[in-house]
Every structure is written in structure tokens, then in C-alpha cells.
Amino acid sequence: MNKECIADKYVPQDIESKWYEYWVEKGFFHSEPDEREPYTIVIPPPNVTGMLHMGHMLNNTLQDVMVRRARMSGKNACWVPGTDHASIATEAKVVARLKSQGIDKSSLTREEFLKHAWQWKEEHGGIILKQLRKLGASCDWDRTCFTMDAERSESVIKVFVDLFNKGLIYRGVRMVHWDPSAQTALSDEEVIYRESQGKLYYLRYKIEGSEEYVIVATTRPETILGDSALCVNPNDPRYAGLKGKKVIVPLVGRAIPVIFDDYVDIEFGTGALKVTPAHDVNDYMLGEKYNLEVIDIFNPDGTINGKVGMYEGMDRFELRDKIMEDIAAAGLMEKMEDYTNNVGYSERTGVPIEPKLSMQWFLKMEGLAKPALEVVMNDTIKFTPAKFKNTYRHWMENIKDWCISRQLWWGHRIPAWYLPAGGYVVAENAEQALELAREKSGNAELQLADLKQDEDVLDTWFSSWLWPISVFDGINKPENPEIKYYYPTNDLVTGPDIIFFWVARMIMAGMEYKGEFPFKNVYFTGIVRDKLGRKMSKQLGNSPDPLDLIAKYGADGVRVAMLLCSSAGNDLMFDEALCEQGRNFGNKIWNAFRLVNNWAVDDNLEQCETNKLAVEWFDSILNKTLAEIDDHFANYRISDAMMTIYKLFWDEFSGWYLEMIKPAYQQPADKLTMEATKGFFDKLLKVLHPFMPFVTEEIWQFVFERGEGESIMISDMPKAGEYDEKLLAEFELMKEKVTSVRNIRNKHNLAVKEALVLKVIADENYNPLFNAPLCKMANISAVELIEEKDAAADTFIVKTTQYFVPVGSSIDVAEELKKLEADLAYQQGFLRTVMGKLNNEKFMAHAPANVVANEQNKKNDAESKIKALNERIEALRNM
């Protein structure tokens, strides 16, 4: 590598690809079990259909920061990447492509369709993982998994068979959520409820053998085709006369019984409920209770079937409009009014779901949920932020059986085979199924051709819930060295929107199949929103393409942007200006190194007092900051850790330290200071590396001579050492003095190059320790001790010490008095607040001694400042 000089300008695009290729080539991302402590993260597998979006950017930036820091902390870091086969989304993509080629799915056999699906996966399936490389993700690409690859598929089938044999998986007709677009059942968690504006329709059901009618309110008039009964509350006096009677379904003409049940809310609508057992979960329960006819009126795609002989082939929403026209024309509509209700939508396709009776496979959840709830509630698994524990607890305590079958072809086919004479067997493969079928039927002549495998596939999440185990082949080989070394994993970074889909189920699977939790910590990210607070989406056009941002600002700049505006569990307001801020920070680091690297060094030059103090101070503040950053990471305050090192580099290192040690124009630096400065730079780059991997690697290679194969990413993370609080406190007072002198210069239009004299009335808080750097930073020619106040000088107070800067005749007495009186009023108000605490008996009785002492010091400082301000005001008035 060429290490002769660093480029004049920071151009992220010139360095990022180079270093990523170098890291991959050297195998720095790869992990194998060894004697070190493991640190493991499994990536939340993005959909194989997916393209990188801002949510991925946030999630994977956080993961990469954690992994890189763990790697530099001496741990054997393993970040496993992979993708999810995403049954519904992928099948929809394949069907759409086939349609564009003039091919209908229904014209293909299952095997023919799957060939097209695998071809699509091979063409598009790895795109998002390649995009993650642009971000700098240090995944162990050799371990890339896919939820439908051989090992993962074998794991899924093995678990299904095991749970079936344990009596936890069963098959039955149940009311399910049906997605007419994907034409498959969904689990409860795959239905998103949204407030929708609709209508409440009041329909007339004539009483059989009478001209009277009962008015029924419904939001779904199209379902009258499937009505089997009318239900009223037995305690409702309005309908007491309907006992033993029937009513006529509008338009359909079907006579249906009137039933009486407490389920009906007397106050809602008219107090009369139409019962459609095939298309409403509560109606289904009433139908079971009263043995009502079940009339399914919908085809799988949401159109009307021929069972009733009306409106056949019409779409369900078209029918709603049409049937209301016909009801009105028949004089059977009482009225119609606006109504707001919650409507369930498919999480995958976005269409309104239909309650539908269907034969499905289910997994019993109650027994699996109990141990998974306990490990979260007792903090064996720690949630960050902890507020999500209550969300998790509520769902787990009210958990329902999981509908795990999907009416699709792309996915893990359910390993159940049906026998010719009825019944079925469940096995890991066809050969085992045949053996079980012969045994069950008593027919030794049965052949595989006589059996028919279930057409359905398993819910995608049924493979994802095994992810932390299956990526290490822990289902198929439960005692293999990798699962024993890497499991349980350390941290999971994910969004709270899949806490039920994925997080809870992974915990259940971990407890069931490994007897312990799958991860120790769960870090929940927020939702990425625009600066107006709107969720980013293609529809709103407010979601930038992450790759465009990386091309414009560099990956490091975008990573910093994601971290500057995020904290665990809170939504982040993304503004592209933050990417510019991130790139500017990279530029700051670059230029700071170029500044130092261009200084000449004189080995014989003695270290001056200013440089000596500067080195001692920065060493102390660096160690203190390292301890703060360690604490931030320990408590998953990743954004705070970023801001802490950002401020240390920008403010303390660049703004103060480098300015203090900077040699005079064309003068050399001393050797001791230069060595210390390069050492500081080396440490700062290492702390910054997990956040900004590319720019730190580039500069780190130039700080000292590096050997072939060296990299900052496998160097040691600096450890926090001892620091001097007193020294740091004194330096803060020195900063205050420098700032005050600079303010006086600005106020009186005094040139920066003009050296000033600083006079001081020494008291118990005066410390001359930092006078040398004070003089350099504020351009002070001398610090003089005086006994009397200088009425002709401008003044400031630091702690209780009074300082004076002679400004000749330029002082504006009236303006100065105005400023001093405002300061006096502030100090008097501050003192009142402090005295309020010190005069409070409860505060004095219960506050820790150090807190009381701190308030006492505030009182003393305020009183000294008030005295000095009064004296200064008096002196000015007497001029």
C-alpha cells in the first residue's frame, strides 16, 4: 500500500471501495470458534425481494457499530447475514413477472412454478446483501444463509414433525384471516388494523308472514348473502315478540330464524344483529352455539361464488355498491349514515382481509409462551428500551394459537401426506411418510404414488423463528461445535413492529429447542421519519434512496447521520442535512490529521509548559471520555456514544488541544508533544472506527508505520485509564477565561493580533496552573496580580475571582453598566433558587452530603459574584 502521503482532500468515494475490498480479501469479517469470548449477532434477514431502505440503514449501522467495537475489544465477533424467502411477497413478484410474459400461474404445475421462483431468487435474491456492503457492514459473508437453503429447510421440517409428535401442531377448520389478493390465510399478527371511514347501513328484514320488519344495522351489506339468523338480546323488550319467528333476508328471500343471546349489545345500532357464520369470527361462534347453517359466499380471490345464485363473479366491493342500489330499489333500506370503524388489512399486500372458514394447520402457543414470557419479565433477556416489556407481556398473556399454513407454492411445503382411505401422516420425508402410512393403514402394499402431500406451505415466520439456532445448524446437529460456541447470541437489533412476529417466537423456539434464550439483549430501533414527522414511504415520495445518499455523502457520512438522530425505541427525524454534517465531520478528521502531519519536528526542542499541560489535560479528558463511552455502550446508548466522541474530537481535540500545541508559523513542534499527539490521534481513530470505518482506516494507516495486513478494525480498542478531575475542572475554568477575553475583544473591536494584559485580584479560587496556555489561546502578553479594581478596564468573573482587561478609552460606561446590572439580576435570582433548597428542611434532611455541599458552593460563588458586581457597578458610577 502507498503510505507516502495522504490526499489533500477528503473524497469518500476514493477510499471506501478500496478498504472494503481489503477487509474482505484479508478475511477480517470471518469468524471461527476459538478460545476467545464470542460476540454474536444474527442479522434480521431482509426479504429476498427487498431493496435497501432507510430502516435497513439504521438497523444495520447499529449492528455494525456493535460488531466492530466487539471485534476491537478482543472478542471473536461473528455477524451472520442472510435473507428470508418471504413467501407472500416473493410469490407475488414471480406471479407478476410471469403475467408480464403472458404466463398465468394456474397454467403451471407446482414444479414448473417453483423453477421460475428459484430463477427469480437467483437473479434478485442477493441484491440487498450486496447493497449492505456499500454501507460497510462487516458481516461474515462466508456464513450467508437463506431460510430455504438445505440446512434451514431441513431444520424447519424437523421442527414441524417434532411439534406435531408432541401434540402441539393440529389441523382443523377455523375462522382465519384471509388475504384475497395473496389468496392465503394469515396469522393474527399479519393483520394491521386501521381506522377507516365507511357507512353504517340500516336494512329492513321483513318478519315472515307479516308486513312488519326489523331494522338491522351493518357495515357490510354484501354479506347478507350468507346470513343464517337474526340475533337480539333476550333482555331487549323491543324484540320480545319475535320469539319463535323468522325474518326474510333482503333481496335473497331466505327465511332465517330469530335467536336470542346476551352477546348482542342493546345499545349498538338497532340492537338487532345479522348473523353470517362464514364471514365474521363472532358470528361463527354464535353459529356453533346455535347450530346455524354456514354459507361461504366468497371465492378465494374475494369475488362472489355461485352458492346463492346471485351476483356471481362480482368483486366484493363492487357488490357492496350494487347491492345497496338494489336494496334501495326494493324499498328495503331504512337509512345510511357515516361510520368510523377499524378495518383489518393484510400486512403484506395491503388489501382488506376477509374472515373466512378454512381448513388450516395451527400451533398451540400457550405452553410455549410461558417460559418465553418469564425470561423477558425477569430481565434474563433485557429489552432496550424497557417500555416494550409491557407490550410483550400483554401479547404473551393473551396469545392465540398460530395459524402456520399458507395457501402458496413458494415456501416450505407442509410435511403431511394424505392416505387414500382418509387420514394423514406427518414425516420428515416421503420415504418415512410411506412407512408410517403403511403402518397406520395396515396396508403393506401402499406405494408413494398412493399418497398425496399437503399442498400448503408454512408461514415464513415458521422458518425465521429458528434463525438464531438454524444459522449454526443447531436443529439438525444440536451438539455441533458452532452452536455450542456462538449460541446464545449477544444482541438483537430490530424494530418493535415485529416484536410478536419474530422476537417473541424466536424466544419461544430458543427455550423449546435449546433450553435457553436465543439472545441476551434486544435493542428496538424507532421508525425513520422525515423532518416533518411523516413515516418515510414511496407513496409520499419522502424516502431517499440510501445508495444515492452514500454516493453523495459517503457511507461514513450517512452512518453518522443515522446515529445523530436516533435513540433506542424512539422514532428518528431524518434530514439529509445530517448526512452533510456527517461528511463534514469526516472532513474535519481528515484536515486535523493533515495539519498535524505537516508539522516539522525538532528532536532537540524542549517541550514548553503550554504543551506539557495540554498533553496532561487531553490525556485526562480522553480517559474520562473513554469511560463515558464504555458506559453508553453498556446501556445501549449508541447515539449518545457517537455524540460523545464527536464532541471530544471536534471541540476538545481540534478546538482546544491542537490550537494549544500548534507551533508558531514555520516553526517546528517538539518531539514529546508530537509523539503524544500521534498517540492521541491513534486512539481517537480507534474509538471512531465502529461509527466511521472507512475514513478512520485510511487515516490510521498514515499515523504510524503499518505492516502488511494491518488494519484498524482488528486493532485494540483503547481502554479507559485514570484521569484527574481537579485538572479537568481547572482547565474548564481556563476555557471560561479565554472565552471571556475573546468576548471583550469582540465587544471593543480589539484586533486578535493585539496582545492584551490580564489583571487579576487573586483569591482562594485563583489558580495560575493554566496561565501559559491561557496566554497563548487568548493572546495575553502578561498576567498581573493587583490589589485594587481597575475602573478603566473591562471585567469578568470566573468562579469568585475577578479579572480585568484594560481597554483604554474604548469602554462604554452606560453599556457596561447595563450588562453588569443584568448579570447582577441573574446572579441574585440564582442565589434565591439555591437558598430555597438550603432553607428547605426536607431537602437538607434527605439530600446526599455531596449534593448539599455542591449547593453550598453554588451559594458561596453566587454571593462572591454579587459582591464583585456591586463593587464594579459602584466603581463605574463614580468614574
Side-chain angles (χ1 to χ4, degrees), residues 217-425:
T218 180
T219 58
R220 304 190 63 206
E222 66 277 13
T223 62
I224 65 170
L225 300 182
D227 285 357
S228 295
L230 185 77
C231 188
V232 294
N233 193 302
N235 301 310
D236 192 337
R238 292 174 294 178
Y239 303 116
L242 291 180
K243 286 182 181 177
K245 295 192 176 180
K246 293 185 176 183
V247 293
I248 308 299
V249 179
L251 297 181
V252 181
R254 182 190 308 127
I256 58 175
V258 178
I259 60 175
F260 293 78
D261 196 280
D262 291 335
Y263 167 73
V264 178
D265 181 358
I266 295 174
E267 302 299 324
F268 177 76
T270 64
L273 175 76
K274 60 189 277 315
V275 183
T276 316
H279 299 295
D280 181 276
V281 65
N282 295 311
D283 290 9
Y284 175 69
M285 289 188 289
L286 284 171
E288 290 270 280
K289 185 174 180 180
Y290 294 98
N291 196 28
L292 300 176
E293 184 182 3
V294 177
I295 307 169
D296 185 350
I297 66 169
F298 290 122
N299 292 314
D301 63 356
T303 58
I304 305 304
N305 61 33
K307 288 184 180 177
V308 182
M310 301 173 67
Y311 307 108
E312 186 175 352
M314 188 174 286
D315 177 77
R316 54 184 172 150
F317 295 116
E318 289 177 10
L319 174 58
R320 182 173 298 177
D321 294 333
K322 173 62 176 168
I323 210 164
M324 286 319 300
E325 286 179 19
D326 292 350
I327 286 173
L332 296 172
M333 185 164 75
E334 181 74 12
K335 63 177 179 175
M336 180 174 63
E337 59 190 27
D338 292 334
Y339 185 70
T340 302
N341 65 337
N342 281 330
V343 175
Y345 289 82
S346 168
E347 188 259 345
R348 288 295 181 196
T349 64
V351 303
I353 59 99
E354 281 292 339
K356 179 179 172 66
L357 276 175
S358 180
M359 178 67 80
Q360 302 291 339
W361 292 87
F362 296 87
L363 173 59
K364 296 177 183 177
M365 300 296 278
E366 188 177 356
L368 294 170
K370 285 179 181 176
L373 174 60
E374 185 179 339
V375 291
V376 170
M377 298 317 293
N378 66 17
D379 285 334
T380 300
I381 296 176
K382 187 178 178 184
F383 280 8
T384 301
K387 66 182 181 181
F388 288 111
K389 283 174 67 175
N390 283 333
T391 308
Y392 179 86
R393 178 183 56 78
H394 178 75
W395 185 72
M396 294 291 271
E397 288 178 348
N398 296 279
I399 199 162
K400 296 177 182 177
D401 288 355
W402 176 10
C403 176
I404 56 174
S405 48
R406 298 291 179 271
Q407 288 62 57
L408 302 165
W409 282 351
W410 175 249
H412 300 102
R413 192 170 179 180
I414 289 175
W417 282 261
Y418 298 98
L419 280 62
Y424 60 88
V425 293

Side-chain angles (χ1 to χ4, degrees), residues 704-723:
F704 294 112
E705 282 293 319
R706 310 292 182 192
E708 174 60 31
E710 283 195 75
S711 169
I712 191 172
M713 72 167 284
I714 55 168
S715 65
D716 293 333
M717 181 63 66
K719 291 182 171 63
E722 294 182 359
Y723 54 91

Side-chain angles (χ1 to χ4, degrees), residues 684-705:
L684 289 167
L685 290 171
K686 288 177 178 178
V687 179
L688 281 162
H689 176 75
F691 305 103
M692 307 176 74
F694 296 107
V695 69
T696 51
E697 180 75 90
E698 177 75 10
I699 297 171
W700 186 83
Q701 295 285 343
F702 289 92
V703 176
F704 294 112
E705 282 293 319

Side-chain angles (χ1 to χ4, degrees), residues 81 90 101 120 141 171 261 355 372 501 524 526 594 675 687 740 777 821:
T90 304
Q101 297 169 354
W120 188 93
W141 299 111
R171 183 172 181 260
D261 196 280
F501 285 124
F524 290 108
R594 288 189 65 250
E675 286 178 347
V687 179
S740 297
M777 296 296 284
E821 285 166 352

Side-chain angles (χ1 to χ4, degrees), residues 30-34 36-42 76-80 140 143 468 471-472 480-490 518 520:
H30 186 59
S31 171
E32 292 289 340
D34 60 23
R36 291 174 293 168
E37 177 188 347
Y39 177 84
T40 317
I41 288 185
V42 292
N76 187 353
C78 180
W79 184 13
V80 183
D140 186 347
R143 293 181 175 275
V471 294
F472 300 114
N480 81 74
E482 295 212 333
I483 192 72
K484 291 171 79 172
Y485 180 76
Y486 292 115
Y487 187 95
T489 68
N490 294 74
K520 299 174 183 118

Side-chain angles (χ1 to χ4, degrees), residues 611-628:
N611 288 6
K612 180 175 178 294
L613 285 167
V615 169
E616 288 179 12
W617 164 73
F618 193 76
D619 184 65
S620 219
I621 197 168
L622 175 58
N623 280 317
K624 182 179 182 181
T625 305
L626 288 175
E628 290 174 1

